[in-house]
Amino acid sequence: MGGDIRSRTMYMFTVHNLPSGYSWQSLKDLIMNHDVSNVYTKMVDDDNERVGYVEFREKEDCDRVMEEMQGEECDGQKLEIRLRDSGDRNRFRSPPRSRISYGYGDRRG
């Protein structure tokens, strides 16, 4: 179908307590382990914390992955997952470009 997933995404959550240096690619891989076909990830350094933003096309995928990941350990750190309202998309703080990274994932098969 093509196009930017962000233009069609309405379901999202944030991932907190990620290991330092964790990349959007690592977050995408972690999310894709939960059997989703399409996901958008973004990493932001926010108030001395590395936060992962995860967006889905399907509400069911978002709800299921959020539930599965709550409390999951990553490199010895217990993850905290927080649901984001679709209206929050315009309120994401935009740090300088040097502090933000993006990633798109589409796994089929």
Side-chain angles (χ1 to χ4, degrees):
M1 295 250 164
D4 186 342
I5 188 173
R6 292 178 292 165
S7 66
R8 297 185 301 264
T9 301
M10 297 180 65
Y11 310 103
M12 61 192 86
F13 62 75
T14 55
V15 183
H16 300 262
N17 203 29
L18 287 163
S20 62
Y22 215 69
S23 69
W24 67 263
Q25 295 99 329
S26 299
L27 179 60
K28 181 188 77 171
D29 290 344
L30 182 66
I31 300 296
M32 296 294 240
N33 286 334
H34 290 272
D35 196 31
V36 292
S37 60
N38 228 316
V39 66
Y40 165 80
T41 61
K42 174 174 82 172
M43 297 297 294
V44 175
D45 292 319
D46 189 20
D47 296 327
N48 298 321
E49 179 186 21
R50 191 117 172 105
V51 178
Y53 290 82
V54 184
E55 299 183 9
F56 298 85
R57 287 186 186 172
E58 303 294 331
K59 181 182 186 319
E60 294 77 20
D61 286 340
C62 181
D63 291 345
R64 179 180 51 79
V65 173
M66 188 175 74
E67 183 177 322
E68 290 174 2
M69 286 186 65
Q70 189 67 263
E72 184 175 312
E73 286 201 13
C74 181
D75 293 341
Q77 294 185 212
K78 197 172 195 177
L79 299 178
E80 181 183 337
I81 311 301
R82 299 179 192 163
L83 182 63
R84 298 293 297 220
D85 185 281
S86 61
D88 287 345
R89 123 178 276 126
N90 295 325
R91 292 192 297 250
F92 284 165
R93 289 187 354 181
S94 295
R97 287 188 82 58
S98 62
R99 295 177 52 211
I100 192 167
S101 56
Y102 300 92
Y104 300 89
D106 188 4
R107 180 182 289 174
R108 299 190 177 154

